Amino acid sequence: MAALIRRCFSKIVLRSRNTNPVLYQCSRVFSSEIVDNTGNTEPTVPDWKPPDNETIEKTRARLVYQSRKRGMLENGLLLSSFAARYLKTFNEKQLKLYDNLINKPSNDWDIYYWAVENKPTPEEYNTEIMDLLKEFAKNTVMESRIRQPDLEQM
């Protein structure tokens, strides 16, 4: 498999002027569905399922990590600060709502736009946690949120 990946990557690099055929060929090798650069087919994102039999402490720890490691700076800063302030006070129901909010949508920009009220929040995510996140995003106390909060030692 590693040789196949190297061969695919070398073809992409060598043919940098016209990568579409090579990317198309490589996607056929690595995907159950063909995805090309013309946008004819989108890759499928698997449905999110919450972990089974997870303790409340483990859920909190996982959500702290997932709030910090978003893949986009805006949500990383917003959600990590939010989690540092509120996650330890959430009950089990609120933790499930927050888990659903940050893990179920397939596009992180949607979460950000809902939180800053740039787009309307879908009914499924319009919960008490989203209301709290929207209020937190307004930052009415003008606190500095230019870096993620320090992690607490457990």
Side-chain angles (χ1 to χ4, degrees), residues 12 15-28 34-43:
I12 291 169
R15 297 182 186 174
S16 61
R17 289 187 182 159
N18 186 5
T19 59
N20 289 349
V22 176
L23 288 175
Y24 180 75
Q25 177 186 358
C26 290
S27 66
R28 288 184 61 195
I34 298 172
V35 179
D36 64 13
N37 285 350
T38 62
N40 291 338
T41 307
E42 282 191 29

mmCIF file of all heavy atoms in Angstrom, residues 12 15-28 34-43:
data_model
loop_
_atom_site.group_PDB
_atom_site.id
_atom_site.type_symbol
_atom_site.label_atom_id
_atom_site.label_comp_id
_atom_site.label_asym_id
_atom_site.label_seq_id
_atom_site.Cartn_x
_atom_site.Cartn_y
_atom_site.Cartn_z
ATOM 1 N N ILE A 12 1.415 12.869 -8.992
ATOM 2 C CA ILE A 12 0.810 14.182 -8.759
ATOM 3 C C ILE A 12 1.876 15.258 -8.811
ATOM 4 O O ILE A 12 1.705 16.299 -9.431
ATOM 5 C CB ILE A 12 0.070 14.205 -7.401
ATOM 6 C CG1 ILE A 12 -1.157 13.307 -7.464
ATOM 7 C CG2 ILE A 12 -0.335 15.626 -7.023
ATOM 8 C CD1 ILE A 12 -1.809 13.054 -6.134
ATOM 9 N N ARG A 15 3.320 15.699 -12.422
ATOM 10 C CA ARG A 15 2.368 16.292 -13.371
ATOM 11 C C ARG A 15 1.639 17.470 -12.745
ATOM 12 O O ARG A 15 0.417 17.559 -12.795
ATOM 13 C CB ARG A 15 1.358 15.245 -13.817
ATOM 14 C CG ARG A 15 1.981 14.101 -14.560
ATOM 15 C CD ARG A 15 0.902 13.160 -14.990
ATOM 16 N NE ARG A 15 1.487 11.975 -15.575
ATOM 17 C CZ ARG A 15 0.806 10.920 -15.939
ATOM 18 N NH1 ARG A 15 -0.496 10.910 -15.780
ATOM 19 N NH2 ARG A 15 1.393 9.889 -16.463
ATOM 20 N N SER A 16 2.366 18.362 -12.144
ATOM 21 C CA SER A 16 1.725 19.451 -11.408
ATOM 22 C C SER A 16 0.924 20.387 -12.304
ATOM 23 O O SER A 16 0.055 21.086 -11.843
ATOM 24 C CB SER A 16 2.773 20.244 -10.628
ATOM 25 O OG SER A 16 3.703 20.797 -11.535
ATOM 26 N N ARG A 17 1.224 20.418 -13.598
ATOM 27 C CA ARG A 17 0.451 21.295 -14.483
ATOM 28 C C ARG A 17 -0.928 20.741 -14.781
ATOM 29 O O ARG A 17 -1.852 21.477 -15.029
ATOM 30 C CB ARG A 17 1.208 21.511 -15.800
ATOM 31 C CG ARG A 17 2.420 22.370 -15.605
ATOM 32 C CD ARG A 17 3.037 22.700 -16.923
ATOM 33 N NE ARG A 17 4.238 23.489 -16.680
ATOM 34 C CZ ARG A 17 5.211 23.628 -17.526
ATOM 35 N NH1 ARG A 17 5.158 23.042 -18.703
ATOM 36 N NH2 ARG A 17 6.263 24.341 -17.231
ATOM 37 N N ASN A 18 -1.054 19.434 -14.791
ATOM 38 C CA ASN A 18 -2.342 18.824 -15.097
ATOM 39 C C ASN A 18 -2.559 17.662 -14.136
ATOM 40 O O ASN A 18 -2.313 16.525 -14.479
ATOM 41 C CB ASN A 18 -2.376 18.355 -16.553
ATOM 42 C CG ASN A 18 -3.751 17.853 -16.953
ATOM 43 O OD1 ASN A 18 -4.691 17.939 -16.179
ATOM 44 N ND2 ASN A 18 -3.855 17.328 -18.142
ATOM 45 N N THR A 19 -3.038 17.966 -12.950
ATOM 46 C CA THR A 19 -3.180 16.918 -11.932
ATOM 47 C C THR A 19 -4.541 16.231 -11.954
ATOM 48 O O THR A 19 -4.702 15.214 -11.324
ATOM 49 C CB THR A 19 -2.971 17.515 -10.525
ATOM 50 O OG1 THR A 19 -3.928 18.538 -10.331
ATOM 51 C CG2 THR A 19 -1.567 18.029 -10.360
ATOM 52 N N ASN A 20 -5.490 16.762 -12.658
ATOM 53 C CA ASN A 20 -6.833 16.181 -12.611
ATOM 54 C C ASN A 20 -6.873 14.692 -12.942
ATOM 55 O O ASN A 20 -7.467 13.937 -12.199
ATOM 56 C CB ASN A 20 -7.791 16.940 -13.517
ATOM 57 C CG ASN A 20 -8.127 18.308 -12.970
ATOM 58 O OD1 ASN A 20 -7.802 18.606 -11.830
ATOM 59 N ND2 ASN A 20 -8.749 19.132 -13.779
ATOM 60 N N PRO A 21 -6.269 14.231 -14.046
ATOM 61 C CA PRO A 21 -6.349 12.797 -14.325
ATOM 62 C C PRO A 21 -5.686 11.951 -13.246
ATOM 63 O O PRO A 21 -6.168 10.891 -12.893
ATOM 64 C CB PRO A 21 -5.621 12.649 -15.662
ATOM 65 C CG PRO A 21 -5.592 14.000 -16.253
ATOM 66 C CD PRO A 21 -5.618 14.962 -15.107
ATOM 67 N N VAL A 22 -4.575 12.439 -12.706
ATOM 68 C CA VAL A 22 -3.868 11.666 -11.700
ATOM 69 C C VAL A 22 -4.663 11.619 -10.403
ATOM 70 O O VAL A 22 -4.801 10.574 -9.787
ATOM 71 C CB VAL A 22 -2.458 12.263 -11.458
ATOM 72 C CG1 VAL A 22 -1.751 11.513 -10.345
ATOM 73 C CG2 VAL A 22 -1.649 12.206 -12.728
ATOM 74 N N LEU A 23 -5.205 12.762 -9.981
ATOM 75 C CA LEU A 23 -6.015 12.778 -8.771
ATOM 76 C C LEU A 23 -7.231 11.877 -8.938
ATOM 77 O O LEU A 23 -7.621 11.178 -8.028
ATOM 78 C CB LEU A 23 -6.449 14.200 -8.440
ATOM 79 C CG LEU A 23 -5.362 15.130 -7.919
ATOM 80 C CD1 LEU A 23 -5.929 16.526 -7.750
ATOM 81 C CD2 LEU A 23 -4.789 14.632 -6.622
ATOM 82 N N TYR A 24 -7.817 11.897 -10.129
ATOM 83 C CA TYR A 24 -8.963 11.053 -10.405
ATOM 84 C C TYR A 24 -8.562 9.590 -10.274
ATOM 85 O O TYR A 24 -9.233 8.802 -9.646
ATOM 86 C CB TYR A 24 -9.490 11.360 -11.803
ATOM 87 C CG TYR A 24 -10.684 10.542 -12.206
ATOM 88 C CD1 TYR A 24 -11.931 10.827 -11.679
ATOM 89 C CD2 TYR A 24 -10.566 9.485 -13.081
ATOM 90 C CE1 TYR A 24 -13.036 10.095 -12.031
ATOM 91 C CE2 TYR A 24 -11.656 8.741 -13.447
ATOM 92 C CZ TYR A 24 -12.891 9.042 -12.921
ATOM 93 O OH TYR A 24 -13.977 8.303 -13.273
ATOM 94 N N GLN A 25 -7.398 9.242 -10.854
ATOM 95 C CA GLN A 25 -6.920 7.865 -10.800
ATOM 96 C C GLN A 25 -6.633 7.464 -9.358
ATOM 97 O O GLN A 25 -7.012 6.395 -8.909
ATOM 98 C CB GLN A 25 -5.654 7.721 -11.640
ATOM 99 C CG GLN A 25 -5.040 6.337 -11.581
ATOM 100 C CD GLN A 25 -3.708 6.296 -12.310
ATOM 101 O OE1 GLN A 25 -3.278 7.280 -12.882
ATOM 102 N NE2 GLN A 25 -3.066 5.155 -12.269
ATOM 103 N N CYS A 26 -5.973 8.340 -8.593
ATOM 104 C CA CYS A 26 -5.648 8.017 -7.204
ATOM 105 C C CYS A 26 -6.896 7.904 -6.354
ATOM 106 O O CYS A 26 -6.959 7.056 -5.475
ATOM 107 C CB CYS A 26 -4.721 9.076 -6.619
ATOM 108 S SG CYS A 26 -3.078 9.017 -7.325
ATOM 109 N N SER A 27 -7.891 8.730 -6.610
ATOM 110 C CA SER A 27 -9.101 8.662 -5.801
ATOM 111 C C SER A 27 -9.832 7.347 -6.031
ATOM 112 O O SER A 27 -10.461 6.829 -5.129
ATOM 113 C CB SER A 27 -10.017 9.841 -6.095
ATOM 114 O OG SER A 27 -10.498 9.769 -7.407
ATOM 115 N N ARG A 28 -9.709 6.791 -7.226
ATOM 116 C CA ARG A 28 -10.338 5.497 -7.492
ATOM 117 C C ARG A 28 -9.670 4.412 -6.667
ATOM 118 O O ARG A 28 -10.306 3.469 -6.238
ATOM 119 C CB ARG A 28 -10.245 5.155 -8.975
ATOM 120 C CG ARG A 28 -11.169 5.992 -9.832
ATOM 121 C CD ARG A 28 -11.135 5.567 -11.257
ATOM 122 N NE ARG A 28 -11.571 4.187 -11.359
ATOM 123 C CZ ARG A 28 -11.390 3.430 -12.424
ATOM 124 N NH1 ARG A 28 -10.780 3.920 -13.483
ATOM 125 N NH2 ARG A 28 -11.812 2.201 -12.458
ATOM 126 N N ILE A 34 -15.868 7.235 -6.551
ATOM 127 C CA ILE A 34 -14.970 8.051 -7.368
ATOM 128 C C ILE A 34 -15.256 9.523 -7.128
ATOM 129 O O ILE A 34 -16.391 9.969 -7.200
ATOM 130 C CB ILE A 34 -15.134 7.712 -8.864
ATOM 131 C CG1 ILE A 34 -14.768 6.255 -9.092
ATOM 132 C CG2 ILE A 34 -14.293 8.626 -9.717
ATOM 133 C CD1 ILE A 34 -15.073 5.767 -10.486
ATOM 134 N N VAL A 35 -14.198 10.276 -6.825
ATOM 135 C CA VAL A 35 -14.327 11.696 -6.581
ATOM 136 C C VAL A 35 -13.357 12.403 -7.510
ATOM 137 O O VAL A 35 -12.169 12.148 -7.495
ATOM 138 C CB VAL A 35 -13.973 12.050 -5.117
ATOM 139 C CG1 VAL A 35 -14.096 13.542 -4.886
ATOM 140 C CG2 VAL A 35 -14.858 11.288 -4.166
ATOM 141 N N ASP A 36 -13.865 13.288 -8.341
ATOM 142 C CA ASP A 36 -12.960 14.009 -9.228
ATOM 143 C C ASP A 36 -12.951 15.488 -8.886
ATOM 144 O O ASP A 36 -13.736 15.954 -8.063
ATOM 145 C CB ASP A 36 -13.316 13.779 -10.699
ATOM 146 C CG ASP A 36 -14.690 14.315 -11.077
ATOM 147 O OD1 ASP A 36 -15.278 15.084 -10.293
ATOM 148 O OD2 ASP A 36 -15.156 13.975 -12.148
ATOM 149 N N ASN A 37 -12.042 16.233 -9.493
ATOM 150 C CA ASN A 37 -11.873 17.650 -9.169
ATOM 151 C C ASN A 37 -12.944 18.540 -9.775
ATOM 152 O O ASN A 37 -12.964 19.727 -9.499
ATOM 153 C CB ASN A 37 -10.505 18.137 -9.640
ATOM 154 C CG ASN A 37 -9.408 17.644 -8.749
ATOM 155 O OD1 ASN A 37 -9.677 17.104 -7.684
ATOM 156 N ND2 ASN A 37 -8.183 17.803 -9.176
ATOM 157 N N THR A 38 -13.802 18.013 -10.596
ATOM 158 C CA THR A 38 -14.835 18.840 -11.208
ATOM 159 C C THR A 38 -16.041 18.998 -10.294
ATOM 160 O O THR A 38 -16.958 19.733 -10.607
ATOM 161 C CB THR A 38 -15.295 18.241 -12.546
ATOM 162 O OG1 THR A 38 -15.857 16.954 -12.301
ATOM 163 C CG2 THR A 38 -14.131 18.146 -13.525
ATOM 164 N N GLY A 39 -16.044 18.296 -9.164
ATOM 165 C CA GLY A 39 -17.144 18.428 -8.208
ATOM 166 C C GLY A 39 -18.343 17.580 -8.553
ATOM 167 O O GLY A 39 -19.422 17.789 -8.022
ATOM 168 N N ASN A 40 -18.176 16.610 -9.445
ATOM 169 C CA ASN A 40 -19.308 15.770 -9.826
ATOM 170 C C ASN A 40 -19.824 14.931 -8.672
ATOM 171 O O ASN A 40 -21.000 14.697 -8.551
ATOM 172 C CB ASN A 40 -18.927 14.857 -10.994
ATOM 173 C CG ASN A 40 -18.732 15.641 -12.270
ATOM 174 O OD1 ASN A 40 -19.238 16.748 -12.410
ATOM 175 N ND2 ASN A 40 -17.978 15.096 -13.192
ATOM 176 N N THR A 41 -18.928 14.477 -7.811
ATOM 177 C CA THR A 41 -19.313 13.648 -6.689
ATOM 178 C C THR A 41 -18.590 14.136 -5.451
ATOM 179 O O THR A 41 -17.408 14.391 -5.500
ATOM 180 C CB THR A 41 -18.935 12.175 -6.950
ATOM 181 O OG1 THR A 41 -19.479 11.768 -8.184
ATOM 182 C CG2 THR A 41 -19.446 11.279 -5.857
ATOM 183 N N GLU A 42 -19.295 14.257 -4.356
ATOM 184 C CA GLU A 42 -18.662 14.673 -3.106
ATOM 185 C C GLU A 42 -18.368 13.438 -2.267
ATOM 186 O O GLU A 42 -19.134 12.482 -2.287
ATOM 187 C CB GLU A 42 -19.582 15.595 -2.317
ATOM 188 C CG GLU A 42 -19.622 16.992 -2.834
ATOM 189 C CD GLU A 42 -20.338 17.918 -1.871
ATOM 190 O OE1 GLU A 42 -20.323 17.659 -0.660
ATOM 191 O OE2 GLU A 42 -20.926 18.880 -2.355
ATOM 192 N N PRO A 43 -17.276 13.485 -1.511
ATOM 193 C CA PRO A 43 -17.035 12.356 -0.609
ATOM 194 C C PRO A 43 -18.081 12.359 0.493
ATOM 195 O O PRO A 43 -18.564 13.419 0.895
ATOM 196 C CB PRO A 43 -15.647 12.646 -0.036
ATOM 197 C CG PRO A 43 -15.428 14.091 -0.246
ATOM 198 C CD PRO A 43 -16.245 14.490 -1.435
#
